[in-house]
Amino acid sequence: MDAIQQQFKQRLAEHSIVINDSQLEQFETYYRVLVEWNEKMNLTGITEREAVYTKHFYDSVSLAFYVPLNDVESLADIGSGAGFPGIPLKICFPHIQLTIVDSLNKRIQFLAHVVEQLGLENVELIHSRAEELGRKAGYRDSYDLVTARAVARLAVLNEFCLPFVREGGHFAAMKGSDPTEEIKEASYSLKELKGRIKHVQAFQLPVEDAARHMIIIEKRAATPRKYPRKPGTPLKAPLV
């Protein structure tokens, strides 16, 4: 274990997230595969090792600082890209049944390789638009927790993500800068999609003190039949 891994492990332990050497090795393998594949396809602009551990791994796991992941059985990560936050959360909480949804098949192929290399089980990788999959039985109104990290504005994310959340479950929107205006803009979409903001947590990433915000939304009832609308519509005509 080198200094970067030791520091990463210690920072998680400060939030009562304890990982063993095997899990640390999974993170290191993930880093190596990410950098290797990033030379062939655009997965991330961040490749320096310490930055990946902070801005991708730690940032992803930060969701567990504010949501009790030990109580979560099923997690859907919508628009996961290179696997954030879903894969880091799965490494730390192996019991979770993880579903990752992404609209680009190349990214799904990358994630399939990551899952194989890390030896992860109970991970489903789906090449699909969220608007299409969110209408299918087995996915709609099904998950304890749904996440999205820096995908779109909250009014759009609500329509992408809330249809996947079971009644009484939660959607966690992981944001960077202050989301106050986004939250105001999203009030109508929350009402339409049966969501209620439970709390908003502000924190800073270590080292750079970059701002992060976690918007935790509770799903209060089943998704109305007319949502989500057809692919492309939420982005072109957000519920505002």
Side-chain angles (χ1 to χ4, degrees):
M1 187 189 312
D2 66 13
I4 290 174
Q5 291 174 306
Q6 179 66 44
Q7 192 174 56
F8 176 66
K9 184 176 181 178
Q10 184 177 338
R11 284 171 176 158
L12 295 187
E14 289 170 0
H15 294 275
S16 302
I17 298 171
V18 178
I19 58 174
N20 58 34
D21 290 346
S22 176
Q23 288 164 303
L24 265 180
E25 184 55 38
Q26 286 179 308
F27 276 110
E28 186 62 21
T29 300
Y30 190 9
Y31 167 71
R32 289 198 302 266
V33 173
L34 176 69
V35 172
E36 177 188 334
W37 279 60
N38 199 59
E39 294 179 1
K40 301 179 284 185
M41 57 185 289
N42 183 26
L43 290 165
T44 177
I46 300 168
T47 56
E48 194 271 322
R49 185 163 172 262
E50 185 172 11
V52 170
Y53 269 81
T54 301
K55 295 181 179 179
H56 284 325
F57 297 165
Y58 180 90
D59 191 26
S60 293
V61 179
S62 68
L63 174 59
F65 305 166
Y66 308 106
V67 176
L69 268 290
N70 286 321
D71 299 335
V72 170
E73 293 184 7
S74 57
L75 167 66
D77 183 5
I78 308 302
S80 184
F84 308 120
I87 297 294
L89 289 169
K90 174 68 176 175
I91 292 172
C92 291
F93 301 91
H95 73 279
I96 287 175
Q97 301 261 347
L98 173 64
T99 299
I100 288 180
V101 182
D102 200 274
S103 61
L104 190 63
N105 196 42
K106 280 186 178 181
R107 288 196 288 256
I108 293 296
Q109 291 171 356
F110 161 73
L111 292 170
H113 184 69
V114 168
V115 167
E116 180 187 11
Q117 291 295 304
L118 272 56
L120 301 177
E121 298 179 347
N122 297 316
V123 178
E124 185 177 16
L125 306 171
I126 303 176
H127 173 221
S128 178
R129 298 284 291 267
E131 304 98 311
E132 293 174 328
L133 194 66
R135 285 193 162 274
K136 293 185 178 180
Y139 300 99
R140 183 180 182 87
D141 296 324
S142 295
Y143 291 88
D144 296 334
L145 178 64
V146 175
T147 67
R149 178 177 177 256
V151 173
R153 291 183 69 81
L154 187 60
V156 177
L157 282 181
N158 285 334
E159 191 168 356
F160 284 165
C161 298
L162 279 169
F164 289 91
V165 184
R166 66 166 174 81
E167 186 175 345
H170 295 88
F171 163 43
M174 303 175 72
K175 293 286 185 178
S177 56
D178 187 349
T180 301
E181 288 302 314
E182 281 191 50
I183 290 171
K184 289 178 183 176
E185 178 187 85
S187 60
Y188 177 68
S189 65
L190 285 168
K191 181 181 176 183
E192 282 288 287
L193 292 155
K194 310 304 177 186
R196 176 184 70 89
I197 292 181
K198 201 170 180 181
H199 51 92
V200 180
Q201 297 285 348
F203 65 103
Q204 292 180 320
L205 286 184
V207 184
E208 294 187 4
D209 294 332
R212 292 291 186 269
H213 293 80
M214 200 80 65
I215 307 169
I216 311 299
I217 297 170
E218 182 182 14
K219 177 84 167 280
R220 306 185 74 180
T223 306
R225 290 182 64 183
K226 62 182 176 179
Y227 298 114
R229 292 168 294 169
K230 66 181 181 180
T233 304
L235 275 169
K236 292 176 184 174
L239 294 170
V240 293

